[in-house]
Structure formats: structure tokens, C-alpha cells
């Protein structure tokens, strides 16, 4: 009888399909961290409850003790990323601080190229991103803009940053060769004289190669907004 009991205990430890792998208890933090790894490695479309469960070596049903659904899990990852946005930055003037904060935010977000694709849907916002927005608005108001104009100015600045991120920092590298590069290379100087002249002096080098132009554009935009 003792031998039979010991055999049953050993079978339970091994499991039906072999030895059971001992896993530490799940926490909300570990689930969010696993989701973050899945997104950064495989892309936003790869984020499913099943994929996160596989990352953790558990069943998808066990995740629902910690997150309500995929959207809440995605929002939790966004909150984690947004916590890294700059708020307090150095600068001798409100305009200088605003420029520094926007450039630092751009550099930070370039390391999370999937985030802008979520933001442009207009459905989710990380509360951890709000102090960044508040600091930008505070600098614009300190520069003399009334609240409504400060809000419009901030939207213009952020749209410039967001557009550069979407255009120049791709989630996955483009295939080579590709139609876009071929079309630019084949531009006819007779029908597209301005384009071909500009390309001759400043050739397009592909996504991610023109980040320095963002500073020039932001300086001009902020200068015009504050002066206006």
C-alpha cells in the first residue's frame, strides 16, 4: 500500500507528459514584463494572452487573475514605457527646456518604435505620460502663451515628433530592394526638376538617417510659436 501511494505521488510530480517544471508564482509585474518582451521581440500584433502565457510557461487562463484582457495588458505595458518619458530637463529658458524635453522624448521613443502606432489610434493613453504633457504645456505658458494657444502649440510640436518617429523609425526594417527606393532613384529630372535637384545635393538615405533634421525643424517651430 505504501509503495502504491509513493508511486502515485511520483506520477503526480512527473505529470502525464513528463517531469513538471517548477514555476515561481505569477504576479502582475511578471505578466506585464512578459508582455513587454513579446511586443519588443515579435511586434504589437504578436501580443495575445496565449503568447504571453507561453512566454511564462503557463496557461492563458492563469493570466486573467492579474489582467482583465489584452487591452488592459497593453495599457499596462504602455504605462511601463511612458514612465521613462522626460519631465524635468535643464534649460535656460522655457523654449530651451521644451526643445530638450521633446528631443529627449523622441530619442527615448525611438527605442520603442511600436508605441506611436498605438498612439495614433487615439484609443489608449498612459497616465504616466501625462506629467510629460503637463511639463511641456507649463513651459509654453511660461513663454507667454495663453492656455488655449499653448495646447495648440504643444499638439503641433508633438505631431512633428510623432510623425518623424512613424516615418523614420520603422517597427521592422524595409525589404531590400524595395519599390520606394527604386522609384526615388528613377525620378526623371525633366518632369521632377526640384525633386531630382534636391536629391542630388541631399540624397535620401533611408529611414532613421535624418534624425538631426528634427532638431532644426523643432527649433524653427518652437521659435515661431513662441514669437507669434
Amino acid at each position: 500500500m505504501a509503495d502504491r501511494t509513493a508511486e502515485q505521488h511520483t506520477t503526480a510530480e512527473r505529470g502525464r507528459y513528463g517531469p513538471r517544471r517548477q514555476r515561481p508564482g505569477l504576479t502582475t509585474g511578471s505578466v506585464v514584463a512578459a508582455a513587454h518582451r513579446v511586443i519588443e521581440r515579435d511586434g504589437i500584433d504578436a501580443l495575445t494572452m496565449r503568447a504571453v502565457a507561453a512566454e511564462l510557461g503557463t496557461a492563458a487562463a492563469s493570466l486573467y487573475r492579474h489582467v482583465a484582457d489584452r487591452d488592459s495588458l497593453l495599457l499596462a505595458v504602455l504605462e511601463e514605457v511612458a514612465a521613462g518619458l522626460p519631465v524635468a530637463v535643464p534649460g535656460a529658458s522655457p523654449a530651451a527646456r521644451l526643445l530638450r524635453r521633446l528631443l529627449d522624448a523622441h530619442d527615448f521613443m525611438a527605442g520603442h518604435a511600436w508605441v506611436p502606432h498605438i498612439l495614433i489610434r487615439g484609443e489608449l493613453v498612459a497616465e504616466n505620460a501625462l506629467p510629460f504633457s503637463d511639463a511641456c504645456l507649463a513651459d509654453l505658458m511660461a513663454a507667454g502663451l495663453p492656455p488655449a494657444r499653448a495646447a495648440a502649440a504643444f499638439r503641433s510640436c508633438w505631431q512633428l515628433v510623432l510623425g518623424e518617429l512613424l516615418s523614420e523609425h520603422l517597427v521592422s526594417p524595409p525589404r531590400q530592394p524595395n519599390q520606394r527606393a527604386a522609384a526615388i532613384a528613377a525620378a526623371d529630372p525633366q518632369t521632377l526638376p526640384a525633386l531630382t535637384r534636391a536629391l542630388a545635393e541631399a540624397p535620401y538615405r533611408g529611414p532613421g538617417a535624418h534624425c538631426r533634421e528634427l532638431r532644426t525643424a523643432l527649433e524653427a517651430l518652437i521659435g515661431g510659436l513662441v514669437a507669434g
Side-chain angles (χ1 to χ4, degrees):
M1 183 70 176
D3 291 343
R4 182 183 179 87
T5 301
E7 181 181 353
Q8 290 175 339
H9 182 68
T10 301
T11 301
E13 286 181 340
R14 286 191 302 106
R16 181 179 298 177
Y17 301 109
R20 293 182 184 275
R21 183 173 63 175
Q22 295 297 317
R23 294 191 302 269
L26 290 181
T27 65
T28 301
S30 66
V31 172
V32 173
H36 199 165
R37 292 195 299 272
V38 169
I39 294 173
E40 297 288 357
R41 185 184 65 231
D42 302 324
I44 187 64
D45 291 338
L47 180 65
T48 64
M49 301 298 275
R50 184 169 295 180
V52 175
E55 181 77 10
L56 291 164
T58 188
S62 64
L63 304 185
Y64 290 98
R65 299 176 183 175
H66 304 279
V67 292
D69 51 29
R70 180 186 181 277
D71 279 351
S72 63
L73 183 54
L74 175 58
L75 181 57
V77 177
L78 283 175
E79 293 285 6
E80 192 173 78
V81 173
L85 286 169
V87 178
V89 296
S93 67
R97 290 194 297 273
L98 178 63
L99 176 63
R100 180 73 271 150
R101 189 180 301 104
L102 289 167
L103 289 173
D104 287 352
H106 165 270
D107 293 347
F108 173 71
M109 294 291 286
H112 305 280
W114 57 273
V115 174
H117 294 270
I118 299 300
L119 299 182
I120 62 174
R121 296 178 186 175
E123 298 174 353
L124 298 176
V125 63
E127 292 185 12
N128 283 335
L130 299 182
F132 167 81
S133 301
D134 184 78
C136 291
L137 288 165
D139 280 335
L140 287 163
M141 292 180 196
L145 274 64
R149 287 192 61 193
F154 174 57
R155 282 194 297 271
S156 297
C157 291
W158 182 242
Q159 286 162 2
L160 177 58
V161 172
L162 193 61
E164 196 276 349
L165 287 167
L166 288 166
S167 175
E168 297 295 312
H169 300 272
L170 307 183
V171 175
S172 58
R175 294 176 296 173
Q176 297 296 340
N178 58 69
Q179 182 274 337
R180 179 178 182 177
I184 292 173
D188 181 6
Q190 297 300 317
T191 56
L192 301 168
L195 176 62
T196 51
R197 182 180 176 185
L199 289 172
E201 296 190 17
Y204 181 71
R205 299 189 300 276
H210 301 270
C211 287
R212 284 176 295 182
E213 296 175 0
L214 178 64
R215 172 184 280 275
T216 302
L218 277 173
E219 286 175 338
L221 178 58
I222 293 171
L225 290 168
V226 171

